[in-house]
Amino acid sequence: MALEGVLRPGHIALRVLELEPAVRHYTEVLGLHETGRDANGRVYLKAWDEHDHHSVVLREADEPGMDYIGFRVDGPATLDRLASAVKDSGLVSDCKWIEAGEHLQTGMRFRFTVSTGHAIELFAHKEKIGTATGDVNPDPWPDGLRGMSPSRFDHCLLYGDGFDDTVKLFREVLGFSLTEQVVTPDGLQIAAFLTCSNKAHDIAFIRHGEKNKFHHASFVLDSWGDVLRAADLISKHDVALDIGPTRHGITRGATIYFFDPSGNRNEVFAGGYIHYPDKPVITWHEKELGRAIFYHDRKLNDAFLTVLT
Amino acid sequence: MALEGVLRPGHIALRVLELEPAVRHYTEVLGLHETGRDANGRVYLKAWDEHDHHSVVLREADEPGMDYIGFRVDGPATLDRLASAVKDSGLVSDCKWIEAGEHLQTGMRFRFTVSTGHAIELFAHKEKIGTATGDVNPDPWPDGLRGMSPSRFDHCLLYGDGFDDTVKLFREVLGFSLTEQVVTPDGLQIAAFLTCSNKAHDIAFIRHGEKNKFHHASFVLDSWGDVLRAADLISKHDVALDIGPTRHGITRGATIYFFDPSGNRNEVFAGGYIHYPDKPVITWHEKELGRAIFYHDRKLNDAFLTVLT
Amino acid sequence: MALEGVLRPGHIALRVLELEPAVRHYTEVLGLHETGRDANGRVYLKAWDEHDHHSVVLREADEPGMDYIGFRVDGPATLDRLASAVKDSGLVSDCKWIEAGEHLQTGMRFRFTVSTGHAIELFAHKEKIGTATGDVNPDPWPDGLRGMSPSRFDHCLLYGDGFDDTVKLFREVLGFSLTEQVVTPDGLQIAAFLTCSNKAHDIAFIRHGEKNKFHHASFVLDSWGDVLRAADLISKHDVALDIGPTRHGITRGATIYFFDPSGNRNEVFAGGYIHYPDKPVITWHEKELGRAIFYHDRKLNDAFLTVLT
Amino acid sequence: MALEGVLRPGHIALRVLELEPAVRHYTEVLGLHETGRDANGRVYLKAWDEHDHHSVVLREADEPGMDYIGFRVDGPATLDRLASAVKDSGLVSDCKWIEAGEHLQTGMRFRFTVSTGHAIELFAHKEKIGTATGDVNPDPWPDGLRGMSPSRFDHCLLYGDGFDDTVKLFREVLGFSLTEQVVTPDGLQIAAFLTCSNKAHDIAFIRHGEKNKFHHASFVLDSWGDVLRAADLISKHDVALDIGPTRHGITRGATIYFFDPSGNRNEVFAGGYIHYPDKPVITWHEKELGRAIFYHDRKLNDAFLTVLT
């Protein structure tokens, strides 16, 4: 099989300060679809082109941030194999199995904490509830789209110390490719963009003084025109804008960043390139960090660097 | 590793009636870059975002058409393993190894003929000559682009009988996924779209009465705006248009088709979706074939169905 | 005043075979807003960025086609002056005043028949009912848009004999500029694109054997991306497509044509250029008519030439 | 005639600190074409879709800024009539006629200083040197475009005191329409957007403490995709970016601002709406100034407000 092992970021679990304003944001502004609520009050959401039951899970809490991100692997055997390999890697802590059904319509999940402090999950099963266009003679997009209506949850960016071991785990144990990196003049890697697919990134890490910080969850749009429409919707809904529309040097994506009502950062973006594992790693020098992150401004805004949840 | 085995369509070898008009078409109109000529007079070309030495090879001949398409695999061990598996599959004929260097800057290639009559190659090495933007602090696109300037060769569509065995070979031996299919009321599969990646297709086959026919070679653009620009260039250069700009139902791509001076069909397109191997196969009914191929017209034009090389 | 005299095409009155399917087409597919119905059963519609009460009027009849098109002039004095000038021109017949209120919320209209057989109106008053965004701190577009949602009715194309006198009337009496023309090798003008504004056309005429034929009513979109979306909607709603997405050589517009349920042709388009009265007239030779009309195909489709209502 | 009197902004004369870097900026980055140099060393430039000999004139000087902006009127009689009306208005000073030929290929110009301190010109003749596409069977865009390649010089924004008299002159003497305004809670108008056409603005003024300040000269692009391309070019050429890509609330335009090497601000933009003189004036409240200027950010950046030349 040409695509195997870890397939994609399958869900991200976010903490929000108040559930209903958050649900309104993620459904009406971002444009995800609510697919269920569980006995713990968690709300499950998916984007219109995702077949799996959910890709975002919201939980009310005292502080915003990310509880965990879960990756879909290609089957139960891979789940067992990767769980063992992760456990034996010496690079993680707090390994445990979460029973099937703890997430709605989801099988067993193997959870562990990486050295940057983030909880990561692997799972092999989630019910496919399909999409509104169906799989027989489908239209290219469904009726009734709301808000920015990204087609998929795409990736997230996480900050933490213990950066090297986390990058090592993703590359050597989980089979991710390094697509792009930022290095200091001394050659220290301070940012790593990692993919398990042909996408420019499925997860990314920034070397940072504090563990377990969340920068943003990102969702994919079709076009630069959709980024403008997203920007207009941000203003129409009085959503807090971080920066954009602009382009990233890293990944080439055309992008806009904004905040959910609890202060968790969201991104919607379009474009990029097709990654292959034999493609040379793209390296950005720290002095070009401005251009790397925001290709047009060529400088970083304070909020982008310092607001983490 | 998450992406392994067959990685991508690495080169397509096309026959053209006159070399220099063909080179002008592929460089000035389509916008590929000439990277070399060999002792046999063949011309090698690549798209701007491809690192490998070439993705298109042109050869002067009495008849247009495709000589072969070659797929890049992830390394020499995979090349050996897949060569054996292909040879032992009972689904191919005319297996042979082509020595390293027969293509400029390319390692050994394993060539075989599939039951639809097409010559297919596997190879594990081609020199990376890089891109004009480089891999250190790169701009998102290079200066000096000409013509439509697609970023990559993307896929091809082939017609032939012996369809079932060819599809079987790609799925079961080479590890491709079936993303979309067209079926008759009797359930006969008459078109198969196959991928070895997250792309909607890397190769596709149509069941057809005659073996070894070539429908088109396709190159990927960034946006629907680029499709309009390509359409304008087709008219400015008096290139023979087949159809477009339009959208495919199958793969959702926004597209335009045209002919090189020898009558080989080219496509440039943008968009589509992110495929995963666990995504349900999309099925189109034969009666919806019009909408499947040309989503807006909902009917097929004669040229598209009958002009093959 | 820099813009004066005839300001714009203010309304087009179309005959439809069945009213309710027509209303569904013009509201749900095209995306106009119904603003009223009168005692005669006529339905009034406007586009989202038009302030006037209506720009399209639908009437149920046995045959499709255009009853008349009405132009808004800059005030009552201009209306009187132009009515006299038209009457005295010797170029029209059937002059009459239509009383205020015959159209909902519209003042007196002066109606006349031009030599191509079409009924044309001038009027100086129609109630401004405003737009959903309002005129105070407005958003760039309103919520709740449906269908293709053009911002305005833009122009129409009419066919008829008596072509020269009609063009003369529009240029010499009504003050329109000729922006583009198609001429035969003998220098006979066979198409004339006329504007009373900076737009590439406000009305256009084709020399034709039969009087009083209607080719299409056109509505303006923001972008080529909106043309793709319109094309998708045409397919999703199973609307009869004429041709597109494509580009016109004449006016440079990016366009798509389709039919309402009664067979009246509609266009939605984006782009063009800024016309000024001192700009040279653009001339197309008849042998380049294909490229002039459909810049990509460079040939005319039969339906486009022959289907008139 | 439907379009008459003042037709358009015909040229803007800018001071630059060093001529050759400025010429490189305006030709290679912005993408204008140099059409001549005069005995005083001034450089004349035009955009690709302009027929007149020039729309931008550069002069080397010790300080950057605007020398004057000239408006094309519809003929010599109008020039005389408006010159008299301006002179007699009591709203201007320093009236004088500039002899024909003082600008290359340009007729007599009537120059005057408005109360905001800016020199304004009217002229009725400039040689039409045409465009690269020609006026016979033209392509929609020419080959060989460089840089951002706007189609036209569009408008400028000027700051000064004496604001009310200047706005009065443009509206009452020169026949411009007010399309949009910004007002304080007391009803004081602090910004006025004025048009002599169907465009959302041909010139705009901001009430300001100091006379004769220049904010930006603006050039029009076809699409939001072209704005992204312009943004990329700004970074590729290391041009100083002010702000963008973003959207204006005022005029709805999608825009980006940057500086020429002397510090004069340039804008390229796309989109907007079709203005008519009977359209209600759009009013923005001062408290919504952020949203009015930068619809997405909803706040003004310091550079935008304070950097004037």
Side-chain angles (χ1 to χ4, degrees), chain A residues 86-113:
Chain A
V86 165
K87 201 179 307 185
D88 297 346
S89 70
L91 298 166
V92 307
S93 59
D94 299 327
C95 295
K96 65 176 163 180
W97 287 95
I98 315 285
E99 63 190 322
E102 198 276 339
H103 262 201
L104 290 185
Q105 306 207 28
T106 307
M108 289 181 65
R109 291 133 59 204
F110 179 70
R111 186 185 294 170
F112 51 95
T113 302

Side-chain angles (χ1 to χ4, degrees), chain A residues 133 139-143 229 232-233 235-237, chain C residues 133 139-143 229 232-233 235-237:
Chain A
T133 58
D139 288 315
W141 43 273
D143 297 331
R229 196 171 158 281
D232 289 344
L233 287 166
S235 192
K236 283 167 87 93
H237 287 276
Chain C
T133 58
D139 287 314
W141 44 273
D143 297 330
R229 197 173 157 279
D232 290 344
L233 288 166
S235 192
K236 284 167 87 95
H237 288 275

Side-chain angles (χ1 to χ4, degrees), chain A residues 99-165:
Chain A
E99 63 190 322
E102 198 276 339
H103 262 201
L104 290 185
Q105 306 207 28
T106 307
M108 289 181 65
R109 291 133 59 204
F110 179 70
R111 186 185 294 170
F112 51 95
T113 302
V114 292
S115 53
T116 45
H118 303 93
I120 308 288
E121 297 184 349
L122 303 175
F123 68 96
H125 177 73
K126 192 180 289 178
E127 282 298 312
K128 300 216 175 302
I129 61 172
T131 69
T133 58
D135 302 316
V136 178
N137 306 319
D139 288 315
W141 43 273
D143 297 331
L145 293 175
R146 280 191 308 179
M148 301 171 183
S149 48
S151 57
R152 303 192 71 90
F153 167 53
D154 190 84
H155 68 271
C156 68
L157 174 62
L158 305 176
Y159 278 50
D161 71 356
F163 173 91
D164 299 307
D165 277 354

